[in-house]
Amino acid sequence: MILYVIVAAVTAGLGLLVNNHCLKQNGIVSRQQILNGLSLVSVFLILFALSACRLNVGNDYAKYVEFMHLINCDAFVPTEFGFNWIVKILYGISGFENYLLVFAFFAFFTVLIFLAAIYRQADSFGFSFFLFMAFGYYFQSFNTVRYYLALAIALYAIPYVLRKQWGRFIILILLGATLHKSLLVVIPLYILASISWKKWQLALAAVFCSTFFFLQDFYLKVVVFLYPTYEDTEYLQGGTSFVNIARCLAVLILALLCYKQTVKESRRNLFYFYCNLGALVMYVCCSFLPIISRIGYYLTITHIFFLPALISGIENRKLKRLAAIGVVGAAILYFAVFILLKAGNDGLRILPYETFMFHDMVPILSDVN
C-alpha cells in the first residue's frame, strides 16, 4: 500500500511540472519543453516498471496466464483475436510461454496511450493526471489488461469525435476492439454525447431510458447475444456502484452551476457533460446489466478533463479556489478509500504487490490438472 501511495504522489508531483501548452518558438527548444520531456519520461518509466514487474497482482492475472497457455496450445479461449495474435507472436519471439513479456507489452502501451491522451487533451496536464491517478484508473489497469488498453484507446480517440473525423475515430475503435470488443459501445455512446441535445430530445431519451426498468429480460438477451460466454455465469448478475453514482451526481451539480459560462458554448465541455449524464443514467437505470461499470468507465474517464475545465471557467477567484480545493480533497479521499478498503478485495486484488524478482507464480489450472 505504501508503495502505491509513494508512486501516486511522486508521479503526480512530476505531472505538475508539465506544461502541455508549451510550444516551440522559432524552432528553439525551451527549458519548459526539456522539463516536459524529462518529467513525462520519468512518469512513464515509473508507471510502466510498476505494472510490468508485477506477478500475480490483479484478480485475473492467473486467469490470463491460463488463457495465454491455451492460446499457445491452439485451444479455444473467449478472448479476441487481436489479443490471441499478440500472445502467439510474443511467445514465438521468446521461444517459451513468456507471460511476463505479454503483461509488459500491455503495460507499455496502456501507460503510453493514457499519457499521450492526457497530454493531448488536458487543459492542465498536472491536474488531469492527478485525477487519473487519484480515481484509480492506473492501478485498476492491473486487472483486465485488455479492457484498460481499450479504455486508453477510447480516451485517445475523443478529439476525433469532437472534430467530427468519424473515419479516423471508427478505424481506431475497430482496431482497439480486436483486443476487447466492449470498446465498440463507444461508437454509439460518443456519437450521442457529441450531439447538441434539445429539451424535447432529452425528454424522448428519458422515456427510452425508462424501458430499462420493465424490459430487463429483453436487454439481457441482447447482452447474451453479443457476449455468449456470459450465459449462465455470474457475469449476468449485474450490480452498480453507489460511489460512482455519487461522483456523477457531484460532477453534474458542478456542471449545472457552471453551465452558462463554461459548458453551454463549448462543444468539448458539452461532450463531457453528456458523457457524465449518460454514465449517471446507466448506473441508475441499468444496474441489472452485467459489468455495467466497464461501460460506464468509457464515459466517466472524461471526468479527468471535465472537472479541471469546469473549475477553470469559474470567474470568481474565491469560488474557483474553493472548487479546486473541494475537487482535490474529494479525489484524495476517493483514492484513500480505494487503497484502504478496495485494493485488497477479491474484485481487484492489487494488494499485496508482488514482483517476479522476489516471488514465484502460483500454479494455473492447466498445471493442477
Side-chain angles (χ1 to χ4, degrees):
M1 181 177 68
I2 295 175
L3 174 64
Y4 290 168
V5 173
I6 292 173
V7 166
V10 170
T11 55
L14 288 169
L16 291 174
L17 301 176
V18 176
N19 179 358
N20 57 315
H21 301 290
C22 181
L23 301 175
K24 286 184 180 180
Q25 295 182 350
N26 300 321
I28 299 174
V29 178
S30 66
R31 289 184 178 181
Q32 182 60 55
Q33 287 177 314
I34 294 174
L35 183 60
N36 284 354
L38 292 174
S39 300
L40 288 170
V41 169
S42 299
V43 169
F44 172 80
L45 290 177
I46 292 171
L47 298 184
F48 167 67
L50 186 70
S51 183
C53 293
R54 76 188 193 280
L55 180 72
N56 201 27
V57 176
N59 66 345
D60 56 1
Y61 192 100
K63 183 182 292 185
Y64 266 107
V65 175
E66 171 74 10
F67 283 162
M68 294 176 203
H69 171 72
L70 294 175
I71 291 167
N72 195 47
C73 297
D74 295 320
F76 171 77
V77 289
T79 50
E80 289 78 4
F81 69 88
F83 174 78
N84 300 348
W85 286 357
I86 290 171
V87 171
K88 284 198 170 188
I89 291 171
L90 294 179
Y91 274 18
I93 293 172
S94 300
F96 65 101
E97 294 191 358
N98 191 351
Y99 54 85
L100 292 173
L101 180 60
V102 178
F103 282 111
F105 175 92
F106 276 86
F108 181 93
F109 284 103
T110 300
V111 173
L112 180 67
I113 296 173
F114 268 130
L115 289 179
I118 296 172
Y119 188 87
R120 183 187 186 195
Q121 300 175 57
D123 285 345
S124 166
F125 179 90
F127 200 168
S128 291
F129 179 75
F130 162 76
L131 293 176
F132 170 74
M133 295 297 293
F135 288 155
Y137 290 112
Y138 166 70
F139 293 107
Q140 290 188 80
S141 70
F142 293 177
N143 289 291
T144 324
V145 294
R146 295 178 299 122
Y147 169 77
Y148 278 92
L149 180 51
L151 182 62
I153 293 170
L155 190 67
Y156 188 84
I158 287 175
Y160 297 132
V161 176
L162 298 177
R163 293 196 291 263
K164 297 185 178 181
Q165 296 174 325
W166 302 117
R168 294 183 181 183
F169 168 67
I170 291 175
I171 289 172
L172 185 58
I173 296 305
L174 290 178
L175 287 173
T178 65
L179 301 174
H180 204 283
K181 59 186 174 184
S182 70
L183 184 58
L184 293 173
V185 303
V186 306
I187 294 178
L189 290 179
Y190 283 4
I191 290 175
L192 289 173
S194 68
I195 298 172
S196 297
W197 290 78
K198 301 183 185 301
K199 290 182 180 179
W200 67 269
Q201 293 173 323
L202 288 173
L204 287 178
V207 172
F208 170 75
C209 290
S210 68
T211 64
F212 290 117
F213 292 109
F214 54 85
L215 292 177
Q216 294 185 5
D217 290 340
F218 168 75
Y219 288 116
L220 282 173
K221 288 179 181 178
V222 173
V223 170
V224 171
F225 174 77
L226 295 174
Y227 290 89
T229 55
Y230 282 1
E231 190 170 12
D232 298 325
T233 68
E234 70 276 9
Y235 293 118
L236 287 182
Q237 293 177 357
T240 191
S241 169
F242 294 107
V243 173
N244 285 330
I245 291 174
R247 191 172 111 191
C248 290
L249 272 174
V251 173
L252 179 62
I253 292 170
L254 180 60
L256 291 174
L257 293 173
C258 303
Y259 189 82
K260 287 185 178 180
Q261 64 266 39
T262 307
V263 178
K264 186 176 181 180
E265 302 300 327
S266 171
R267 177 178 172 81
R268 181 194 62 167
N269 290 343
L270 272 174
F271 174 82
Y272 298 152
F273 177 86
Y274 287 123
C275 280
N276 179 70
L277 184 61
L280 180 60
V281 169
M282 283 189 176
Y283 288 131
V284 172
C285 301
C286 305
S287 61
F288 65 93
L289 292 177
I291 319 180
I292 190 63
S293 62
R294 290 189 184 180
I295 300 175
Y297 275 14
Y298 285 124
L299 299 173
T300 60
I301 187 67
T302 60
H303 287 174
I304 68 174
F305 300 138
F306 193 28
L307 286 170
L310 290 174
I311 293 172
S312 66
I314 300 175
E315 296 178 355
N316 186 291
R317 289 186 178 182
K318 289 185 178 180
L319 288 177
K320 179 183 286 190
R321 185 177 300 175
L322 285 174
I325 292 173
V327 168
V328 170
I332 291 174
L333 178 62
Y334 188 100
F335 180 74
V337 171
F338 172 77
I339 291 296
L340 292 174
L341 301 181
K342 294 181 63 179
N345 292 348
D346 290 338
L348 285 176
R349 215 178 60 75
I350 60 175
L351 282 175
Y353 181 81
E354 296 181 351
T355 171
F356 67 86
M357 291 180 280
F358 304 109
H359 301 88
D360 295 321
M361 181 61 193
V362 298
I364 60 174
L365 186 62
S366 294
D367 294 334
V368 175
N369 293 336

